[in-house]
Amino acid sequence: MIKKSMLYIHGFNSSPLSTKAQLTKQYLQDQQIAIDFHCPQLRNNPKQAIEQLEQILQSKPDHQWCLMGSSLGGYFSTYLAEKYQLKAVLINPAVRPFELLVDYLGEQENPYTHEVYQVTEQHMIDLKMQSQEKISKKHYMVMVQTGDEVLDYQQAVEKYQHCQLIVQAGGDHSFINYHRMLPAIMTFLELH
């Protein structure tokens, strides 16, 4: 029997304690889905974050991996899904974070961990280098809400238009009623 693992990748200034990460973990437990759940506290440097995530994937080469990513985590998930040919569920994913995060250059504090760190120009360069222009449409289920106040949902609709795409009117960046999507997510990831 193939062992399965899920890598859940949180967003910018977030953590494994985020609501969606916790709801996902709880759902897997409640439904008794046999899968190893991984949701690390990401490093603040995008290059180091990708290295950290790749080390996790490579730590269990005999496992069948799937990815979930929210916001910036969706951007990282796209990079990893293409590199390792994995299925990924993206929730309000960032499409061009190297443009958006320019507004956050300088000192930041993670509201979950209270870690203070610097967002630098080099981070924007590293993020741009992680961009995946050509994507495999069968790899992705993409969920966006039109009321997202942080990201322009239309960027994700355009980029992932040939994938399994769910566009919900209203909502916000946190993805309102995310828990209701978990059964459909597990169906897409073939986790029952």
Side-chain angles (χ1 to χ4, degrees):
M1 184 157 162
I2 298 172
K3 293 178 180 172
K4 295 185 177 184
S5 285
M6 174 185 287
L7 182 53
Y8 184 102
I9 307 171
H10 67 69
F12 176 71
N13 261 348
S14 190
S15 95
L17 298 176
S18 70
T19 302
K20 289 188 294 294
Q22 290 296 307
L23 285 170
T24 305
K25 184 178 182 182
Q26 190 62 52
Y27 185 86
L28 292 168
Q29 290 172 350
D30 292 348
Q31 299 298 313
Q32 299 179 340
I33 296 171
I35 190 165
D36 290 343
F37 180 80
H38 301 263
C39 183
Q41 179 65 52
L42 288 185
R43 297 197 182 108
N44 298 312
N45 176 313
K47 192 174 179 185
Q48 291 175 1
I50 284 289
E51 288 168 0
Q52 174 189 9
L53 294 165
E54 291 196 86
Q55 284 174 354
I56 293 169
L57 292 175
Q58 292 163 6
S59 71
K60 295 183 178 177
D62 57 329
H63 281 220
Q64 181 180 335
W65 285 91
C66 62
L67 305 167
M68 289 188 67
S70 173
S71 192
L72 182 59
Y75 183 77
F76 289 151
S77 293
T78 301
Y79 174 85
L80 295 169
E82 292 306 315
K83 184 167 181 179
Y84 294 94
Q85 298 297 295
L86 301 173
K87 278 192 153 190
V89 174
L90 314 180
I91 307 127
N92 283 333
V95 174
R96 293 198 284 274
F98 42 86
E99 294 174 1
L100 184 76
L101 292 177
V102 167
D103 294 341
Y104 293 84
L105 288 173
E107 189 174 283
Q108 290 292 318
E109 181 179 349
N110 185 306
Y112 290 90
T113 65
H114 302 293
E115 180 186 359
V116 176
Y117 65 98
Q118 296 291 322
V119 175
T120 68
E121 293 280 0
Q122 185 60 48
H123 290 178
M124 301 308 113
I125 295 165
D126 292 342
L127 283 168
K128 195 158 195 176
M129 289 177 67
Q130 294 164 358
S131 182
Q132 297 294 312
E133 296 312 312
K134 292 183 178 168
I135 57 168
S136 171
K137 60 185 177 186
K138 69 180 187 297
H139 286 161
Y140 303 97
M141 174 179 176
V142 181
M143 303 166 15
V144 296
Q145 291 186 329
T146 63
D148 188 333
E149 73 285 6
V150 177
L151 300 171
D152 178 358
Y153 81 95
Q154 291 173 319
Q155 289 184 357
V157 169
E158 184 182 331
K159 178 164 185 141
Y160 299 98
Q161 61 186 308
H162 301 297
C163 305
Q164 184 172 326
L165 183 62
I166 296 166
V167 180
Q168 293 185 354
D172 64 21
H173 189 61
S174 72
F175 205 95
I176 298 294
N177 292 321
Y178 167 75
H179 64 282
R180 293 186 186 161
M181 301 304 298
L182 284 162
I185 288 169
M186 297 308 152
T187 298
F188 174 78
L189 294 174
E190 298 172 27
L191 302 173
H192 306 289

